[in-house]
Amino acid sequence: MKVTRNGDLIQLTFLPGFFPVNCYILEEDNELTLIDTGIPSSYQGIVKVIKELGKPLTNIVLTHAHGDHVGSLNKLKSNFPKVPLSISLRDSRLLKGDTSLDQHEPQTPIKGGIPKDINVTPEKLLEDSDEIGSLQVILTPGHTPGSISLFDTRSGAIIAGDAIQTRGGVAVSGQIRPLFPFPAMATWNKKQALESVKKIKGLSPSLLAVGHGHMIEAPSVHLQKSIDKAEENLNK
Ligand SMILES: [Zn+2]
């Protein structure tokens, strides 16, 4: 596990060489929020960092319900049973293994590793603009129908889950980067993914933190380039 801090945001990276998977701990004045839970073997590393920080964990939030983001969820919830779990209302269905689509949604198949063994029920079902501590929920569908980003209203950092990847080059979800094609292969709808990254860019984030790849400070230029590239590809 590799630990990288930027301000109040701590990035935990598992399998940094081959298939880097990030989860994050946001440090607040008196508490900690865990964002995503990595893969099953991430559990011990997550607990170690929480202990080192010496503040209570008060929230677990999922950016989306893919296997590489919910891997340690069962174990964490059994170790921290009183800590509420939050996920978007829409992706709470995916968390139960339900890949059905609503009539109003684009009828492209939901892809990626959908968990089959989650034995916990989320306490909070998130909608746009909901708040968890300093974090504001931004609905950013595309990678999955209910993907969210979390915007730190204190620092301007955004934790975008797999709406964007930075590993292998910054890319809108669904746009293949040959050096790291996996997030694109797991993306539900490229058009919605593009709209979501425009929404993220519109917030002028100070820091971009994603599920796969390093954090990027002042990411606006990178975001615009990735938007231009995705638009070009989608208009082909
Ligand atoms: Zn992922």
Side-chain angles (χ1 to χ4, degrees):
M1 177 180 68
K2 190 170 162 240
V3 179
T4 312
R5 183 190 264 269
N6 189 308
D8 294 320
L9 190 62
I10 298 129
Q11 180 191 56
L12 283 60
T13 307
F14 305 93
L15 311 178
F18 170 64
F19 190 98
V21 173
N22 298 325
C23 64
Y24 293 88
I25 296 174
L26 182 73
E27 186 169 10
E28 302 261 11
D29 288 344
N30 300 307
E31 58 195 329
L32 304 172
T33 296
L34 174 67
I35 300 146
D36 289 340
T37 70
I39 53 178
S41 61
S42 305
Y43 171 74
Q44 280 171 331
I46 292 170
V47 172
K48 180 171 170 270
V49 175
I50 289 170
K51 279 194 183 143
E52 284 169 3
L53 290 166
K55 293 180 183 178
L57 179 69
T58 52
N59 279 289
I60 301 172
V61 191
L62 300 173
T63 59
H64 63 293
H66 274 152
D68 54 333
H69 298 254
V70 305
S72 294
L73 184 58
N74 287 344
K75 268 200 232 167
L76 281 161
K77 275 293 272 178
S78 65
N79 197 18
F80 298 92
K82 287 184 184 149
V83 178
L85 169 67
S86 305
I87 186 169
S88 72
L89 174 62
R90 179 63 184 88
D91 262 25
S92 66
R93 266 162 61 190
L94 266 192
L95 193 63
K96 290 186 287 190
D98 174 1
T99 57
S100 65
L101 291 162
D102 291 331
Q103 260 183 353
H104 70 272
E105 291 174 332
Q107 300 297 303
T108 45
I110 294 175
K111 297 180 184 171
I114 308 302
K116 294 182 184 73
D117 59 346
I118 298 298
N119 58 21
V120 298
T121 306
E123 280 82 9
K124 294 186 198 171
L125 299 179
L126 301 171
E127 306 206 51
D128 204 31
S129 304
D130 281 354
E131 286 172 6
I132 300 157
S134 300
L135 294 171
Q136 190 182 3
V137 173
I138 316 286
L139 294 186
T140 50
H143 187 64
T144 62
S147 286
I148 59 168
S149 296
L150 297 153
F151 186 61
D152 185 340
T153 52
R154 300 171 303 177
S155 66
I158 194 153
I159 301 110
D162 288 358
I164 302 164
Q165 69 179 76
T166 65
R167 175 76 171 192
V170 179
V172 172
S173 190
Q175 301 298 316
I176 292 260
R177 300 299 308 212
L179 289 175
F180 194 69
F182 311 110
M185 288 156 63
T187 293
W188 164 61
N189 190 273
K190 294 178 189 181
K191 271 191 186 162
Q192 289 211 358
L194 173 59
E195 292 312 310
S196 291
V197 176
K198 289 181 182 172
K199 200 169 169 185
I200 288 169
K201 164 115 195 327
L203 295 166
S204 303
S206 61
L207 178 74
L208 173 65
V210 299
H212 305 281
H214 58 272
M215 293 187 276
I216 297 181
E217 289 179 0
S220 285
V221 173
H222 285 101
L223 288 172
Q224 189 58 51
K225 275 190 194 162
S226 71
I227 289 168
D228 292 345
K229 186 80 192 150
E231 274 183 335
E232 193 187 309
N233 288 340
L234 288 178
N235 289 330
K236 262 180 195 162

